[in-house]
Amino acid sequence: MQLPEEFIEKYQRLLGDEAPAFLASFDQPSQSGFRVNPLKAAPQATIDQATGKVPYVPTGYYGGVDGKSLDHVTGAIYSQEPSAMYVGEVVDPQPGERVLDLCAAPGGKTTHLVAKMHDQGLLVANEIFRKRAKVLAENLERWGTKSTVVMNESPADLEEQFPHFFDRILVDAPCSGEGMFRKEPAGIEYWNPDYPAECANRQRKILASAMKMLKPGGILVYSTCTFAPEEDEQNLAWLLRNYPDLKTVPVKKYPGMDDGRPEWADNNPALRDAVRLFPHHIKGEGHFIAKLQNGEPVPVEDAAPTKRRRNKKKRRQRPGLAKQDQAEFAAVRDVLMPDYRPTRLVTFGDQLYALPAGMPADLTGMTILRPGLHLGTLKKNRFEPALAWALVIDPASCPRVLDLSHDQWRQYVHGDVVTIDQALQNGWYLLACDGHATGFGKVVGTTIKNFYPKGLRF
C-alpha cells in the first residue's frame, strides 16, 4: 500500500522501534467478521463457515458474510470488522437504560447496543447526514428492534432536546480513518498532515454536545477508527481538563490490546485507561476507545427532556388513533402478536409506529426517520403490517406462522407470488424460514400474496 510520506514519518517518530511492524501491517489483508443477533434464532449456516471466534466479543466471529443470505437478510447476523466490535462491549448498555448513539451510521455499533440492552429501554440512534441516516434505519429494521428511535439531527440541535437525559452515550466520532486504510484505501486520498487536527476540532464540538446530554453518573464512550493522537489521547486529555467531573474508567485489555499513550498528549497517566487496537498486534483494523464516567448519579426523574421551540419536523405527527384505524390494527395484531399491547402509538401520515417508553410523546421539532417500531400502513378499511414489525416477532410465539422452504423464501424476496400446497384460513401470516421471521404474507386460497418491500427485493 502506498502511504503518504508524511504519514510514514509521523508514525516512525511516534512508534520508534515498533514502526516497521506497524507500517508493514498495511500490506496485510483486512480482517472480515460478523456478529450474531442473540435476540433471534441462531444463524447456524453462517456460523459453520466462520474461521474462528472473536475472543473479546461473545457474539463475534471471524469470516465473511453473504449479504443475500437468509441469515443476513433476516437480521440474524451483522457484518462488522472485529476491532470495531469491541466498542459495543465497552459501552455495555443495560436493559432499561436510556442510551444515545450520537454518530450512529451505518449501524454496526448501534445493533450491538440493541443486543446488549436486550431491546429493552430507549436507544436513540442519531446521524447528521440524511443519506447515511436512511442506511442506519434500514440496518436497524433488519436487525429488529422495538426500542430504537432513528434521528437525523446535528449534535448541537439534539442537545437542546435532551439535557442531562442519557445514562450512556457513545460518540463513535467521524475521524481521519487511518485505522481503516487497509479496508478502505480510498481514505488515503483525503489524508494530509493537517487533517487529524481538523477532525479533532470537529470531534470536540460533538463531545461538548454529548456532555450536555449525559446524566450525572452517566457513562460516555469515545471511540475513533484512527491512530492519530490528535483525535485520540489529545481529545481524551481535553475532556478531562474541561470537564472536572469526568473520570476515566479502565477499559479491559485482552491479549494484543494496548494502553492509551499519555506521552502522546499531556502525560496524564489516566490516559492509559483507554485502549488502542493496532493491526500489528491484534487480528483486526485500528481503533481507539476511551470510557469515562460523569460525576455522581441523580434520580431518573431529575433528568427529563425539554421541548424545543423551533420546528423542523418533516412529517405531520397525529396524536392518538381513530377508532376505525385502531380496530383495523387490532384485528391484525390479534392474529399475529396477540399479547402485544403498545401503549404509545403515533402516526406520521398513514404510517403507524409504536413509540418506545422514555421517548417524549410530543415529537415536535425533532427530525425523526423512525420514531420507534414501524407497525404498518393505515389504509381505507384495512391495515397493512410492515416488514419491521415482522422482524421483531419470534416465530415460536406467533399463532399464525407459515414456514417457507428455501426455494419459497427466494421467491418471496424476489417479489413473486408463492404457491402453497396446504389448505389454510385466508388472512395475514408471519412467514418464516429455518426459524427466522422473514416478513408478512396474505394467504388467499393456495397462494401467498407478497408484501415484501419492492425496494428490498432481489
Side-chain angles (χ1 to χ4, degrees):
M1 179 176 289
Q2 189 65 43
L3 295 168
E5 192 61 38
E6 297 95 331
F7 179 90
I8 294 171
E9 292 172 356
K10 176 179 180 177
Y11 286 99
Q12 285 175 333
R13 183 177 69 257
L14 288 171
L15 289 170
D17 293 342
E18 271 195 88
F22 168 73
L23 295 170
S25 71
F26 286 90
D27 292 321
Q28 301 300 312
S30 62
Q31 178 63 60
S32 299
F34 63 91
R35 284 181 298 101
V36 303
N37 189 340
L39 307 179
K40 295 195 174 185
Q44 202 57 51
T46 304
I47 291 174
D48 288 344
Q49 298 177 21
T51 57
K53 284 281 284 105
V54 177
Y56 45 87
V57 182
T59 56
Y61 292 82
Y62 298 110
V65 165
D66 178 359
K68 293 185 178 180
S69 67
L70 173 68
D71 288 344
H72 183 264
V73 170
T74 58
I77 55 172
Y78 191 100
S79 177
Q80 189 176 32
E81 183 274 312
S83 293
M85 295 180 191
Y86 196 44
V87 176
E89 292 296 314
V90 173
V91 178
D92 194 28
Q94 300 301 301
E97 290 185 332
R98 295 169 175 174
V99 180
L100 170 64
D101 189 351
L102 188 51
C103 312
K109 298 176 179 71
T110 319
T111 58
H112 199 164
L113 302 183
V114 172
K116 298 284 284 186
M117 297 169 68
H118 301 169
D119 199 23
Q120 297 172 20
L122 171 65
L123 174 58
V124 175
N126 183 71
E127 173 57 44
I128 189 172
F129 296 106
R130 184 81 174 182
K131 286 182 67 174
R132 286 172 55 80
K134 288 181 179 179
V135 173
L136 168 66
E138 290 169 0
N139 285 332
L140 282 165
E141 176 178 278
R142 184 171 62 248
W143 187 256
T145 171
K146 300 187 290 289
S147 66
T148 305
V149 173
V150 179
M151 301 188 67
N152 174 215
E153 292 277 10
S154 72
D157 288 336
L158 205 64
E159 72 186 40
E160 299 178 30
Q161 186 67 41
F162 297 104
H164 308 297
F165 181 76
F166 292 102
D167 298 292
R168 295 177 197 251
I169 297 178
L170 169 60
V171 177
D172 183 51
C175 67
S176 58
E178 296 172 357
M180 293 291 115
F181 282 176
R182 293 195 310 190
K183 186 178 178 182
E184 300 171 3
I188 298 173
E189 299 174 13
Y190 299 99
W191 193 93
N192 64 69
D194 298 324
Y195 190 37
E198 294 171 7
C199 292
N201 183 58
R202 180 167 61 245
Q203 291 153 357
R204 291 180 182 186
K205 293 177 181 177
I206 296 171
L207 287 166
S209 292
M211 287 302 301
K212 292 179 181 178
M213 292 183 276
L214 186 65
K215 290 165 61 173
I219 295 293
L220 171 68
V221 171
Y222 173 65
S223 65
T224 74
C225 58
T226 189
F227 307 113
E230 299 94 325
E231 303 172 71
D232 295 342
E233 285 88 354
Q234 291 173 28
N235 268 352
L236 178 55
W238 175 85
L239 276 170
L240 294 172
R241 286 195 305 270
N242 285 274
Y243 299 92
D245 288 338
L246 275 182
K247 305 295 180 186
T248 56
V249 177
V251 177
K252 182 177 180 179
K253 313 293 196 309
Y254 287 81
M257 295 183 182
D258 291 81
D259 291 342
R261 306 284 182 106
E263 66 274 18
W264 290 356
D266 61 359
N267 288 306
N268 184 343
L271 304 187
R272 292 194 185 94
D273 290 338
V275 63
R276 276 186 169 273
L277 286 78
F278 284 110
H280 63 298
H281 287 166
I282 202 164
K283 197 174 177 181
E285 309 307 302
H287 249 81
F288 173 87
I289 312 169
K291 188 172 187 176
L292 307 103
Q293 187 163 25
N294 184 30
E296 295 300 321
V298 295
V300 171
E301 58 268 23
D302 290 347
T306 58
K307 187 175 178 180
R308 203 164 59 189
R309 282 192 296 268
R310 70 189 187 89
N311 186 349
K312 55 181 281 188
K313 178 170 56 64
K314 305 300 183 186
R315 297 177 293 174
R316 175 177 291 181
Q317 174 193 354
R318 287 192 286 128
L321 199 59
K323 285 186 178 180
Q324 180 63 33
D325 290 338
Q326 190 154 1
E328 297 292 344
F329 163 68
V332 174
R333 179 205 60 205
D334 289 347
V335 298
L336 296 173
M337 202 175 180
D339 295 332
Y340 181 50
R341 291 293 186 273
T343 57
R344 309 178 73 203
L345 295 174
V346 295
T347 54
F348 287 86
D350 59 357
Q351 302 303 305
L352 179 66
Y353 294 85
L355 199 67
M359 190 68 184
D362 183 0
L363 307 181
T364 301
M366 290 187 271
T367 307
I368 297 180
L369 295 188
R370 296 285 174 123
L373 175 61
H374 185 202
L375 295 171
T377 305
L378 296 162
K379 299 195 172 184
K380 187 175 181 179
N381 298 324
R382 63 189 176 94
F383 175 77
E384 187 176 298
L387 174 64
W389 188 14
L391 295 178
V392 302
I393 299 179
D394 178 1
S397 67
C398 181
R400 263 203 186 178
V401 179
L402 181 53
D403 290 313
L404 304 180
S405 67
H406 278 263
D407 285 341
Q408 288 174 320
W409 173 73
R410 292 186 186 95
Q411 291 174 343
Y412 176 67
V413 295
H414 190 258
D416 302 332
V417 173
V418 180
T419 302
I420 55 176
D421 57 3
Q422 52 186 308
L424 295 173
Q425 182 178 351
N426 286 350
W428 289 103
Y429 285 78
L430 177 69
L431 306 181
C433 185
D434 283 353
H436 299 297
T438 64
F440 291 121
K442 197 169 190 178
V443 170
V444 180
T446 58
T447 63
I448 304 172
K449 192 174 179 182
N450 198 323
F451 286 84
Y452 197 68
K454 292 181 179 179
L456 298 180
R457 296 175 181 179
F458 62 91

